[in-house]
Amino acid sequence: NAGVTQTPKFQVLKTGQSMTLQCAQDMNHEYMSWYRQDPGMGLRLIHYSVGAGITDQGEVPNGYNVSRSTTEDFPLRLLSAAPSQTSVYFCASSVSGGYQETQYFGPGTRLLVL
Amino acid sequence: GQNIDQPTEMTATEGAIVQINCTYQTSGFNGLFWYQQHAGEAPTFLSYNVLDGLEEKGRFSSFLSRSKGYSYLLLKELQMKDSASYLCAVRDLLRSNDYKLSFGAGTTVTVRA
């Protein structure tokens, strides 16, 4: 199993550009989520999905879109990048909300918006 | 949402013990997690508590008091490789099979020789 994979690892964008951060997992996990991590603020939930075809907003969803057409993939779209979106983005997955369930994190995407 | 508080930094000597406290406020508590994150890497799971008491896993132990909204992570026999950020995370169950995991800002632990 590759676990949770993310691409790209690094990206530089200009303000106003759009891009998609890819996330895939091969563990047949139902629950997937996207976080951003900024210094001194911890991980903040952007969007999450409890299964294919179902998505919901997290704590900081503005400026981001997601879709979940398959169990494996959960891409995060930045429609018009802004410098405030400079951050490290982590995708995570877990089986479900069951007892002692933990999330597995991808390696992260480091995004710089100029 | 949740308010999750933990100290920003802690320093300890190799071989010593360090206790990282975490306090939280939540409406639908469904478990508390501790993650370890080395610089430039992804968080990795350390421990999980949903009932009151102490869970021990080798050199790491985690304690939970739901009535006090309080947890701690205890690191014993510290090693240099334990230098990392330790994240406290609280899970809220919103409805069946729908939950959110919220993280504290993390505690950076530095182990010195």
Side-chain angles (χ1 to χ4, degrees):
Chain A
N1 284 352
V4 181
T5 58
Q6 290 183 238
T7 56
K9 290 186 178 180
F10 303 95
Q11 184 70 48
V12 179
L13 290 178
K14 294 181 180 178
T15 297
Q17 286 185 315
S18 63
M19 80 159 294
T20 299
L21 279 63
Q22 302 291 344
C23 174
Q25 52 88 13
D26 60 359
M27 298 174 282
N28 201 32
H29 285 173
E30 290 295 322
Y31 189 97
M32 296 185 74
S33 53
W34 276 102
Y35 295 88
R36 59 177 291 174
Q37 188 172 37
D38 303 294
M41 301 191 72
L43 287 155
R44 291 183 291 169
L45 183 65
I46 304 171
H47 285 285
Y48 68 102
S49 169
V50 299
I54 306 170
T55 64
D56 210 341
Q57 295 182 348
E59 181 183 356
V60 288
N62 293 339
Y64 308 94
N65 280 352
V66 292
S67 59
R68 186 90 181 273
S69 56
T70 67
T71 300
E72 295 78 18
D73 300 299
F74 191 43
L76 178 73
R77 298 183 187 84
L78 283 70
L79 301 177
S80 179
S84 61
Q85 293 179 303
T86 293
S87 187
V88 180
Y89 291 85
F90 287 102
C91 178
S93 74
S94 63
V95 174
S96 70
Y99 181 74
Q100 203 166 352
E101 191 52 61
T102 186
Q103 293 198 64
Y104 297 88
F105 285 84
T109 294
R110 286 150 182 79
L111 178 66
L112 173 63
V113 183
L114 301 175
Chain B
Q2 295 83 10
N3 292 323
I4 302 171
D5 293 314
Q6 51 183 129
T8 304
E9 296 179 332
M10 301 184 75
T11 301
T13 305
E14 196 173 15
I17 299 172
V18 68
Q19 177 174 317
I20 306 169
N21 296 324
C22 173
T23 58
Y24 64 89
Q25 294 176 313
T26 184
S27 55
F29 180 81
N30 190 245
L32 187 143
F33 296 79
W34 284 96
Y35 285 83
Q36 181 190 58
Q37 186 178 26
H38 285 101
E41 298 182 8
T44 55
F45 170 75
L46 282 181
S47 70
Y48 169 81
N49 296 72
V50 69
L51 301 175
D52 291 350
L54 188 68
E55 295 282 342
E56 297 187 83
K57 276 188 176 182
R59 295 189 298 113
F60 294 175
S61 303
S62 57
F63 171 83
L64 175 68
S65 169
R66 289 172 295 170
S67 63
K68 296 182 179 178
Y70 167 71
S71 173
Y72 68 71
L73 179 69
L74 195 69
L75 314 180
K76 295 178 277 189
E77 300 170 18
L78 280 172
Q79 302 175 9
M80 300 299 288
K81 66 179 182 180
D82 297 330
S83 292
S85 182
Y86 291 85
L87 312 177
C88 175
V90 175
R91 184 170 65 192
D92 259 336
L93 185 63
L94 306 176
R95 49 186 178 269
S96 178
N97 202 37
D98 189 358
Y99 66 96
K100 288 183 181 178
L101 192 65
S102 297
F103 286 80
T107 299
T108 299
V109 172
T110 302
V111 181
R112 295 186 171 168

